[in-house]
């Protein structure tokens, strides 16, 4: 409930000077009348002079000037920081609730689907690469209960994969025979013809070199290696090129004004080396009784 109208001392938006206002008090929006002073005693004295000259029935409230402007600024800043912290905690709590719902749907709250600079969905946990599964399975310290939940889901799914040595394999033009672990197979539509699809396959060798083959999905090689993800294979191929790749990373930032969490994307801080192979021939899928060459 608002009190009766009165004159009262307040300060401007920048808290640089005491001001005289008229309304229901400092915490309510009133009408600015005049600047007073940066000194509290002078501000009170000028305010009293103004009200006396006005010679009306409204009283003067001077309690705001009992505190120095510096103290008022400090209190405002503390309140802003407290409000921001409260909003951040509320947003994190909301994120935890939303993340639990995503996990219950079989989705990974950390694996976002981006479109036009915005998050439009999340990938399914079952579609995580084996490397990503291993990463989460090996985490021992958790930033939140959501981190721990994803880690616990991944632990029983972890299998050994050589560590990425971040180095190129062989020399360009070499014909090689190599044993490698199939990390992923990505099927996509190409621009070479109607309803034509290609397959990009990623591997890692026993020594940690990353390899890539890329070709039509109906080639003899791609038909033979179909559904071999998370399997060791032996193949012959020619080294086409040595490549470098700097992946983008997702991160979350807290807006200083609103305290809301903002999803953003930026270039990573590390460049990775890969080797492209051409004319691959599958020699063996380990775990099968017969060679496939």
């Amino acid at each position: 409930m608002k009190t009766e109208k009165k004159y009262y001392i307040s300060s401007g938006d920048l808290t640089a000077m005491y001001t005289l206002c008229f309304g229901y008090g400092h915490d309510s929006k009133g009408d600015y009348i005049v600047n007073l002073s940066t000194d509290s005693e002078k501000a009170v004295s000028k305010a009293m002079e103004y009200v006396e000259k006005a010679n009306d029935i409204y009283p003067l409230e001077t309690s705001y000037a009992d505190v120095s402007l510096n103290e008022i600024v400090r209190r405002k800043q503390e309140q802003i920081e407290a409000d921001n912290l409260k909003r951040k905690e509320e947003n994190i709590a909301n994120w935890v609730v939303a993340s639990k719902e995503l996990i219950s749907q079989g989705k990974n709250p950390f694996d976002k689907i981006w479109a036009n600079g915005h998050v439009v969905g999340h990938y399914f946990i079952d579609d995580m690469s084996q490397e990503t599964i291993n990463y989460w399975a090996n985490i021992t310290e958790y930033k939140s209960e959501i981190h721990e939940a994803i880690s616990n889901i991944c632990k029983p799914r972890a299998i050994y994969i050589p560590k990425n040595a971040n180095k190129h394999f062989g020399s360009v033009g070499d014909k090689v025979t190599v044993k490698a672990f199939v990390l992923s197979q990505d099927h996509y539509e190409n621009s070479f013809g109607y309803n034509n699809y290609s397959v990009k396959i990623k591997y890692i060798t026993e020594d940690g070199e990353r390899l890539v083959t890329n070709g039509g999905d109906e080639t003899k090689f791609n038909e033979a290696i179909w559904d071999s993800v998370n399997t060791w294979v032996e193949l012959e191929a020619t080294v086409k090129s040595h490549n470098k790749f700097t992946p983008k990373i997702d991160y979350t930032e807290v807006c200083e004004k609103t305290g809301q969490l903002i999803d953003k994307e930026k270039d990573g801080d590390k460049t990775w080396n890969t080797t492209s192979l051409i004319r691959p021939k599958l020699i063996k899928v380990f775990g099968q009784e017969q060679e496939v060459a």
Side-chain angles (χ1 to χ4, degrees):
M1 178 180 294
K2 292 183 179 180
T3 60
E4 295 181 356
K5 284 188 174 183
K6 58 188 174 184
Y7 292 99
Y8 62 93
I9 293 178
S10 184
S11 62
D13 292 338
L14 299 179
T15 322
M17 178 175 290
Y18 293 106
T19 59
L20 180 63
C21 299
F22 181 76
Y24 292 99
H26 173 70
D27 293 331
S28 299
K29 184 65 175 178
D31 296 324
Y32 162 82
I33 298 176
V34 66
N35 287 342
L36 296 172
S37 174
T38 57
D39 179 80
S40 60
E41 291 185 1
K42 290 181 179 179
V44 172
S45 177
K46 288 184 176 182
M48 292 176 66
E49 291 178 6
Y50 183 94
V51 173
E52 287 177 1
K53 288 181 180 180
N55 193 28
D56 57 27
I57 62 173
Y58 299 107
L60 170 64
E61 171 63 52
T62 64
S63 60
Y64 185 82
D66 292 342
V67 182
S68 70
L69 290 175
N70 288 337
E71 177 66 13
I72 294 170
V73 171
R74 185 188 66 79
R75 291 181 181 180
K76 283 186 175 180
Q77 186 60 37
E78 287 181 350
Q79 186 60 49
I80 290 172
E81 293 174 357
D83 290 344
N84 286 342
L85 178 60
K86 181 180 179 181
R87 283 194 294 266
K88 181 179 179 181
E89 291 174 344
E90 290 174 349
N91 286 329
I92 291 175
N94 291 336
W95 171 77
V96 168
V97 172
S99 296
K100 287 181 177 179
E101 176 62 25
L102 287 171
I103 292 174
S104 72
Q105 298 170 7
K107 297 180 180 180
N108 182 355
F110 299 101
D111 198 1
K112 304 178 180 70
I113 301 173
W114 289 80
N116 299 321
H118 300 282
V119 176
V120 296
H122 294 79
Y123 291 101
F124 285 97
I125 293 173
D126 288 342
D127 293 334
M128 295 168 65
S129 69
Q130 191 59 52
E131 286 182 300
T132 302
I133 290 172
N134 287 0
Y135 165 79
W136 281 102
N138 289 326
I139 292 178
T140 56
E141 296 183 1
Y142 309 109
K143 295 181 180 179
S144 72
E145 59 183 293
I146 302 303
H147 289 76
E148 184 175 6
I150 295 296
S151 179
N152 289 336
I153 290 172
C154 292
K155 279 180 171 35
R157 307 183 186 191
I159 60 177
Y160 170 73
I161 297 176
K163 184 178 179 180
N164 189 347
N166 200 22
K167 61 182 182 180
H168 291 126
F169 175 76
S171 299
V172 175
D174 285 352
K175 186 173 182 179
V176 297
T177 300
V178 60
K179 179 181 178 181
F181 184 85
V182 181
L183 296 169
S184 65
Q185 293 181 341
D186 180 22
H187 297 252
Y188 63 95
E189 189 172 4
N190 61 43
S191 58
F192 304 131
Y194 175 74
N195 198 27
N196 202 359
Y197 287 82
S198 292
V199 183
K200 182 177 183 179
I201 305 177
K202 297 180 181 180
Y203 318 76
I204 190 165
T205 70
E206 294 176 296
D207 294 327
E209 297 106 338
R210 295 292 294 264
L211 311 176
V212 177
T213 60
N214 202 344
D217 66 346
E218 295 182 355
T219 62
K220 183 177 179 181
F221 173 78
N222 282 330
E223 288 183 343
I225 203 172
W226 176 264
D227 201 26
S228 294
V229 175
N230 299 336
T231 303
W232 285 94
V233 298
E234 184 178 18
L235 55 90
E236 290 181 356
T238 299
V239 178
K240 176 185 178 182
S241 62
H242 289 159
N243 314 308
K244 293 182 179 295
F245 172 64
T246 302
K248 292 187 177 295
I249 58 176
D250 300 335
Y251 69 102
T252 302
E253 187 176 273
V254 178
C255 178
E256 294 183 359
K257 292 183 178 180
T258 65
Q260 293 181 330
L261 298 177
I262 304 174
D263 293 314
K264 291 191 174 183
E265 188 179 46
K266 64 180 179 180
D267 289 334
D269 56 3
K270 189 167 185 177
T271 297
W272 297 98
N273 295 310
T274 62
T275 299
S276 292
L277 305 178
I278 56 174
R279 296 187 288 276
K281 179 182 178 182
L282 185 61
I283 303 300
K284 181 178 182 179
V285 177
F286 290 89
Q288 293 185 3
E289 295 181 0
Q290 297 180 346
E291 295 186 353
V292 296

